[in-house]
Amino acid sequence: MEPSQDAQEGTPFIPPTIHRSSLLDGESYSSYSPCPSTITPASTSTSAEETTNPTACVLGVDEAGRGPVLGPMVYSAFYLPKELEKPLLTQDHSFDDSKVLTAGVRKNLMQMICSPGHALHNSCGWAVKVLSARDISAGMLRPGLGVYNLNAQAMDATIEIIRGVVEQRRINVKEVYIDTIGNPATYQHKLERIFPTLKITVAKKADSLYPCVSAASVVAKVTRDIALETCYEALVETNSSQQQQQQNPAEPTWGSGYPSDSKCVGWLRRDMDSLFGWGNECRFSWGTAKEMMEGKDAVRVDWPSNEAEETGISDFLIGHGPTTSREAKGLENWYGSKVGVSF
């Protein structure tokens, strides 16, 4: 494997899947690569003279960051010509389930995918949907509209990026392989109804079975990791002046963001505001965050019910409630008097 430019020059590698402003604002977003130079998209023209022979492609979908309490969940689609899938991804480059690759190998592969002129960049395309921690929690905790659970959010993300590649970028995708959410057959049937012209395979451990899914898992994992680093670095920058004034050592990292990570749990306890909790980086719907916000170090807020609230805005208007005539005249002139009228 070729050494990465990042490793050679010591400069941080930020892939185009990272949108810093959206991440820091707690916004979800989608991102798509340009069409690779070796792939011919389907033509939008109805003219017989301009009809092209679009490249038949295979597409894989996988995610990263489903379980953490901190940071976004990332869904990725990765596509390339069918005949290049195994030669390019498994023979020339050792793509595999991102969990079995080291962070350095994953980042190196991602950098090659994003480097113009490289074979991976010329032949492979990607799409990502980054679901922010704020939006994940808002969906899971929304009142009155019904819970928008994580499986439903994941399904919608998968549909969005497949549709974006096939319908908007007009890539001639023939086969789709997806790592499952829940029961593979149920998930596959849902997607087949939405995309009846695609051959869709949903399977457990798809990231180990199909090279295009392995590549998608690498894109998703690297994007998730760098997104988490970006959010943490911005938080440290914001708090750096205060830390210097207090002459405290640098705050330990928040780790992987998973509830099982002691660094993550320790950071959550140290950084929790007793009233507001944390910022956009935290999934408030997770049990870890809920328990801390309901603990002894948090401020309890009781919201009055509508039924118990007897005072409305009409009670402050003239003619409502026990307001005296003198008080009414005062309220009448709170914003001034009519022209030609004096009191």
Side-chain angles (χ1 to χ4, degrees):
M1 184 178 295
E2 303 171 16
S4 69
Q5 183 179 355
D6 184 36
Q8 292 175 350
E9 300 180 1
T11 56
F13 167 60
I14 305 297
T17 54
I18 297 295
H19 296 183
R20 178 182 170 87
S21 60
S22 296
L23 285 171
L24 301 186
D25 289 342
E27 298 175 353
S28 300
Y29 65 88
S30 303
S31 183
Y32 296 83
S33 70
C35 180
S37 59
T38 61
I39 293 179
T40 302
S43 174
T44 58
S45 174
T46 58
S47 170
E49 295 180 357
E50 297 182 19
T51 300
T52 59
N53 185 21
T55 307
C57 293
V58 60
L59 180 146
V61 177
D62 200 10
E63 57 80 24
R66 182 177 174 83
V69 64
L70 294 178
M73 177 171 69
V74 180
Y75 263 79
S76 170
F78 190 93
Y79 61 90
L80 75 164
K82 176 62 179 175
E83 70 272 11
L84 292 181
E85 183 185 16
K86 290 186 178 179
L88 186 59
L89 299 184
T90 62
Q91 297 173 14
D92 295 347
H93 302 90
S94 301
F95 280 92
D96 202 342
D97 174 10
S98 63
K99 293 184 289 294
V100 304
L101 301 176
T102 65
V105 169
R106 292 194 299 263
K107 187 175 287 189
N108 200 27
L109 288 169
M110 184 67 174
Q111 189 159 358
M112 288 187 284
I113 292 169
C114 300
S115 298
H118 195 281
L120 287 172
H121 181 273
N122 294 342
S123 302
C124 305
W126 49 261
V128 297
K129 175 68 175 182
V130 178
L131 293 90
S132 71
R134 184 191 69 183
D135 289 349
I136 290 172
S137 294
M140 296 178 71
L141 297 174
R142 64 185 186 182
L145 298 175
V147 173
Y148 185 28
N149 65 38
L150 198 62
N151 282 352
Q153 295 184 49
M155 171 69 81
D156 287 347
T158 300
I159 293 168
E160 179 182 333
I161 56 178
I162 293 176
R163 183 168 282 150
V165 170
V166 174
E167 298 180 6
Q168 298 177 19
R169 273 67 188 174
R170 305 192 66 80
I171 303 300
N172 183 29
V173 175
K174 294 295 187 181
E175 301 173 16
V176 177
Y177 298 91
I178 304 174
D179 202 20
T180 189
I181 301 172
N183 183 281
T186 302
Y187 190 19
Q188 183 169 318
H189 292 331
K190 289 181 180 179
L191 291 173
E192 286 173 339
R193 288 196 297 269
I194 297 170
F195 302 105
T197 63
L198 302 181
K199 179 184 176 182
I200 297 176
T201 300
V202 179
K204 294 180 180 179
K205 303 295 183 183
D207 47 7
S208 299
L209 298 174
Y210 306 104
C212 59
V213 182
S214 300
S217 74
V218 169
V219 173
K221 178 62 173 171
V222 172
T223 300
R224 150 78 190 176
D225 287 348
I226 295 181
L228 199 64
E229 292 172 5
T230 300
C231 293
Y232 181 74
E233 289 168 1
L235 192 66
V236 170
E237 289 174 4
T238 301
N239 297 334
S240 61
S241 59
Q242 182 179 357
Q243 289 177 347
Q244 291 172 1
Q245 291 173 2
Q246 296 175 348
Q247 297 181 347
N248 287 337
E251 182 178 314
T253 176
W254 56 20
S256 63
Y258 281 83
S260 58
D261 187 340
S262 60
K263 289 184 179 180
C264 171
V265 175
W267 180 87
L268 285 170
R269 289 199 180 102
R270 289 191 304 272
D271 203 71
M272 184 183 78
D273 182 275
S274 59
L275 180 60
F276 298 106
W278 306 271
N280 292 327
E281 71 281 348
C282 182
R283 303 182 191 179
F284 284 78
S285 53
W286 257 235
T288 306
K290 285 182 178 180
E291 290 173 6
M292 291 186 186
M293 289 301 295
E294 293 171 358
K296 62 180 182 180
D297 295 327
V299 175
R300 180 178 177 83
V301 178
D302 291 319
W303 297 97
S305 65
N306 291 333
E307 295 179 358
E309 186 64 52
E310 297 179 355
T311 303
I313 190 169
S314 61
D315 294 314
F316 296 95
L317 302 178
I318 301 170
H320 294 270
T323 310
T324 65
S325 59
R326 182 172 296 179
E327 290 170 337
K329 184 176 290 188
L331 290 172
E332 243 179 11
N333 295 288
W334 183 266
Y335 293 106
S337 304
K338 292 181 180 180
V339 175
V341 178
S342 60
F343 292 93

